[in-house]
Amino acid sequence: MMNVGIDTMGGDFAPQEALRGVKKYLEEDKSNGIKITLFGDAEAIKEIIVAENIPTGSIEIVATTQVIGMHEHPTKALKEKTDSSIAAGFQYLAKGKTDAFISAGNTGAMLVGALFNLKTIEGILRPVISSIIPKQNGGTGLILDVGLNADCKPEQLNQFATLGAVYARHVLEIENPKVGLINVGEEEGKGNILTQGTYPLLKENQQINFIGNIEGRDTFNDKADVMVCDGFTGNIILKLAESIYDISKKEAPESGYLNRFNFEIYGGTPVLGVAHPVIVGHGISKATAFSNMIRVAEKMLKTDVLHKLKDAIQPR
């Protein structure tokens, strides 16, 4: 039985929305046989379970006494708050007591926790975080990095492309994902030192279906399924995409496409390159986002995508 750990104390609406997300998942996916381990204030968790009438047959509670705030220094907080819900969640994951870990709490603490508590997959130069981008044709694309690695080397972007292609193939179910390098022009030779150095590596990479450079205007069309860039660029694009949804809710008429920019539909952002599934959620995540984060973790475990990433990085 797969065991997914959840930090119930992370996020602006903790712990209630995290637990409502668990309830939503359990009600909609009754046959999946997943165990859920909840980390946090045990008394508060039990009160909400009763109030929300959440089934407890597949739930375990791990009591913690500390919370890492959204604006605390990640490394310092993890060292000083060893009984926090995030620290305990990573302890369980590292020891194999859980198979995946989810939080909408302090993003920095989640990333530091993933890097220092879990082994990276052998051969990984730098772990990377990715995000779903809705495409106008009804499909979904993947962009990476979106913030973990602000400064990159060409070799790292080349590896991000491989990781993204494997994830897109097995989790997003895109049969032969097209990989594009985000740049300021389509022609080979365009761009800064980083993209000029990355292009020939991607061109020679036999693990991917590289289609060349793509521009910002291609982000939402179907030119590329996997879009590769450094974390500085990717985070700007991600925040721009989030703002499109916010503006559409205030200004635009109802749009099926613009509604797909709602981050809750996709749950959270997986950290690719570490030995276990770690899903980082938005701080304002509510029940739908938490429910879908569990689904992302479930899909990663069921498809054994981490072993497939390892095989792609270390081809036999």
Side-chain angles (χ1 to χ4, degrees), residues 55 105 114 132 142 148 159 186 202 240 303:
I132 296 293
L142 189 75
L148 184 54
Q159 195 171 83
E186 295 180 343
L202 296 177
L240 174 63
T303 59

Side-chain angles (χ1 to χ4, degrees), residues 29 89 126 131 174 179 271 305:
D29 297 82
R126 294 287 296 274
S131 186
I174 302 172
V179 178
V271 182
V305 69

Side-chain angles (χ1 to χ4, degrees), residues 88-120:
F90 277 116
Q91 290 165 16
Y92 266 60
L93 188 59
K95 293 177 181 178
K97 294 182 179 180
T98 55
D99 302 305
F101 185 48
I102 290 166
S103 176
N106 186 306
T107 300
M110 284 294 291
L111 298 177
V112 170
L115 294 175
F116 288 98
N117 288 276
L118 307 177
K119 293 181 180 179
T120 56

Side-chain angles (χ1 to χ4, degrees), residues 40-251:
D41 183 331
E43 292 305 314
I45 291 172
K46 290 175 183 176
E47 287 179 9
I48 295 171
I49 285 176
V50 172
E52 296 285 341
N53 195 27
I54 301 173
T56 58
S58 59
I59 288 178
E60 176 187 355
I61 300 172
V62 176
T64 60
T65 60
Q66 296 173 306
V67 177
I68 295 178
M70 298 296 279
H71 301 292
E72 291 191 62
H73 187 279
T75 306
K76 182 180 179 183
L78 282 169
K79 286 182 178 179
E80 294 180 353
K81 294 185 173 181
T82 56
D83 196 41
S84 64
S85 50
I86 289 180
F90 277 116
Q91 290 165 16
Y92 266 60
L93 188 59
K95 293 177 181 178
K97 294 182 179 180
T98 55
D99 302 305
F101 185 48
I102 290 166
S103 176
N106 186 306
T107 300
M110 284 294 291
L111 298 177
V112 170
L115 294 175
F116 288 98
N117 288 276
L118 307 177
K119 293 181 180 179
T120 56
I121 295 172
E122 188 176 352
I124 293 291
L125 300 173
R126 294 287 296 274
V128 59
I129 53 177
S130 61
S131 186
I132 296 293
I133 295 292
K135 296 290 190 173
Q136 282 183 301
N137 66 355
T140 53
L142 189 75
I143 182 171
L144 69 172
D145 188 14
V146 292
L148 184 54
N149 305 284
D151 296 299
C152 295
K153 297 178 180 179
E155 295 79 11
Q156 293 165 347
L157 290 192
N158 184 40
Q159 195 171 83
F160 294 170
T162 301
L163 296 176
V166 172
Y167 187 87
R169 189 177 303 119
H170 296 286
V171 177
L172 301 183
E173 299 180 1
I174 302 172
E175 185 173 348
N176 186 28
K178 297 172 290 185
V179 178
L181 176 64
I182 295 178
N183 209 331
V184 295
E186 295 180 343
E187 301 84 5
E188 184 174 353
K190 281 289 185 78
N192 56 16
I193 294 174
L194 174 61
T195 54
Q196 288 178 15
T198 302
Y199 192 103
L201 298 181
L202 296 177
K203 194 174 180 179
E204 296 172 5
N205 189 339
Q206 299 299 309
Q207 301 284 334
I208 64 173
N209 175 21
F210 181 53
I211 53 92
N213 289 324
I214 61 171
E215 298 180 275
R217 62 187 175 186
D218 300 314
T219 304
F220 306 120
N221 63 31
D222 61 354
K223 187 171 183 179
D225 302 301
V226 177
M227 298 164 283
V228 180
C229 60
D230 60 87
F232 184 89
T233 303
N235 191 264
I236 291 173
I237 293 174
L238 177 63
K239 296 299 172 58
L240 174 63
E242 289 179 355
S243 74
I244 290 174
Y245 176 71
D246 292 338
I247 292 171
S248 73
K249 292 290 96 180
K250 295 176 182 177
E251 304 290 342

Side-chain angles (χ1 to χ4, degrees), residues 21-29 32 34 291 294 298:
V22 170
K23 178 182 179 181
K24 181 177 175 65
Y25 174 82
L26 292 175
E27 288 178 344
E28 295 175 354
D29 297 82
N32 284 337
I34 288 185
S291 177
I294 299 172
E298 176 193 350

